[in-house]
Amino acid sequence: MRTLAEYDGGGEGRLGYFAFLRERYQVLLRRRAGQPGPWTDDPVIQAWRFCNVRREDDKVTEWFRANIRDPLANDPKVFFATIAFRWFNTPAAGEVLKPWLLNGAWNRDAIQQELEIRAEAESIFTGAFMINSAPGKPKHVDVLDNLDWVRANLSPSRITRDLWTKKAMMDHLLQVPRLGNFAAYQVVVDLQYTYLLRHAVDLNTFTVAGPGCAKGIGLMVANDPERFAYGRKADQQAMLGIMQDCLEVSRDDSMWNAEWPPFVLSDIENGFCEYAKWRTGHGGARLKRKYNPSS
């Protein structure tokens, strides 16, 4: 496996990557401290919406963690609850699902009706990733069909016996109809904070570079967003080595303040997605979403 030290393609390297991570994290700290905006002098971070560099700090994850994941962190129900929530990935849908997930009941017809009522007022689906539904079937109906499949076919008792690594859990989840690689990986990342994977031996040796991460790594090492293809196995291996290298570098206080929460490998992957957007913005391109300080 090649590491970052073996690449020399003209990118700005780890210094630039970690400079972005620090600045984006300090925006979060300044805002939490009640300081007046804009919280940064960086014009791109000021103008455009970025996720937090630690996924645990994002609003949707904070809602899920407080309302569903932490209450079920040591309960077998957390497996199904995590899949169900992340497939919708909005607090709006989460509010509908929450009582059914916490008590372990599942009334498909009642849940579908509640989701349809909620959808009249606000979006019940995420914009963070593609939801692949069957042609001609409403998206929420298809997701509920697939969740019924999960309940019928994936046993929590088997998970506790056999699936004690992130890699094994990812392979298990990819059996689920229409649950794509990206969404499955998001479930794995959440399960790292539950009894299922918090002690996984591959906590910091397995991750999956998504499309945005692949662009960010390419920009860092070679100023080329197409340097790595996230769908190519050899490139995934190469990017894993680079991310592990960056995780090790993050332990250096000059790169990431030792008083801040330490990174795990999935944070490094997440950070590269945001770094790719930041570099794209500094290249003069328009990004997807303007930043609204009130949101």
Side-chain angles (χ1 to χ4, degrees):
M1 184 183 298
R2 296 178 68 186
T3 63
L4 179 56
E6 297 174 74
Y7 289 92
D8 184 20
E12 65 176 11
R14 292 169 292 192
L15 291 176
Y17 172 61
F18 278 98
F20 163 73
L21 297 185
R22 291 192 304 272
E23 186 62 18
R24 177 63 185 91
Y25 189 67
Q26 288 179 105
V27 168
L28 174 67
L29 296 181
R30 291 162 188 154
R31 184 171 181 176
R32 282 178 174 173
Q35 296 181 21
W39 305 295
T40 178
D41 293 328
D42 186 290
V44 173
I45 299 177
Q46 281 186 25
W48 302 99
R49 175 168 292 280
F50 289 85
C51 296
N52 287 291
V53 297
R54 294 177 64 254
R55 181 175 172 272
E56 285 292 290
D57 292 321
D58 283 334
K59 288 183 178 179
V60 172
T61 297
E62 288 183 331
W63 187 95
F64 176 56
R65 181 175 67 236
N67 288 275
I68 297 174
R69 196 185 74 195
D70 279 4
L72 295 178
N74 297 304
D75 188 317
K77 293 193 291 289
V78 75
F79 175 71
F80 178 75
T82 302
I83 298 172
F85 176 80
R86 283 300 179 188
W87 220 323
F88 291 91
N89 206 38
T90 63
E95 293 286 358
V96 172
L97 297 172
K98 178 180 174 179
W100 305 97
L101 298 175
L102 292 183
N103 67 27
W106 190 253
N107 185 324
R108 161 62 189 268
D109 291 340
I111 293 167
Q112 181 170 325
Q113 183 177 29
E114 290 180 44
L115 285 170
E116 288 168 355
I117 293 170
R118 193 64 178 248
E120 293 177 359
E122 55 188 316
S123 175
I124 60 172
F125 279 102
T126 183
F129 50 85
M130 296 285 290
I131 306 294
N132 180 24
S133 59
K137 186 184 292 187
K139 189 183 295 186
H140 69 287
V141 173
D142 193 53
V143 169
L144 291 173
D145 285 348
N146 294 326
L147 289 174
D148 286 341
W149 185 96
V150 173
R151 287 176 59 81
N153 292 279
L154 299 188
S155 164
S157 62
R158 177 172 178 263
I159 292 164
T160 58
R161 288 198 308 271
D162 301 339
L163 302 179
W164 49 276
T165 68
K166 291 167 63 182
K167 175 64 167 62
M169 183 65 76
M170 180 77 174
D171 291 342
H172 191 61
L173 289 167
L174 289 176
Q175 300 175 68
V176 180
R178 298 192 180 278
L179 188 69
N181 280 8
F182 186 84
Y185 180 68
Q186 300 310 307
V187 173
V188 170
V189 172
D190 277 308
L191 294 179
Q192 293 175 161
Y193 299 95
T194 74
Y195 80 103
L196 289 168
L197 291 177
R198 66 166 63 103
H199 300 301
V201 295
D202 59 350
L203 179 67
N204 286 323
T205 59
F206 173 80
T207 193
V208 178
C213 174
K215 290 178 181 178
I217 294 175
L219 286 164
M220 186 185 75
V221 304
N223 280 330
D224 179 5
E226 307 301 323
R227 172 64 181 80
F228 299 102
Y230 78 96
R232 187 179 302 136
K233 186 175 180 180
D235 282 0
Q236 280 288 342
Q237 283 295 104
M239 289 188 288
L240 176 59
I242 292 169
M243 287 187 281
Q244 287 178 300
D245 182 279
C246 287
L247 179 63
E248 182 65 27
V249 167
S250 75
R251 309 310 186 206
D252 183 331
D253 189 54
S254 69
M255 291 291 198
W256 185 252
N257 191 325
E259 296 182 359
W260 295 344
F263 285 134
V264 293
L265 189 61
S266 56
D267 294 324
I268 297 295
E269 191 276 338
N270 184 72
F272 271 117
C273 297
E274 302 312 300
Y275 172 76
K277 292 193 293 188
W278 181 70
R279 285 287 304 274
T280 300
H282 274 285
R286 289 181 58 85
L287 301 184
K288 190 173 182 180
R289 295 176 63 191
K290 283 278 191 180
Y291 177 59
N292 177 3
S294 64
S295 65

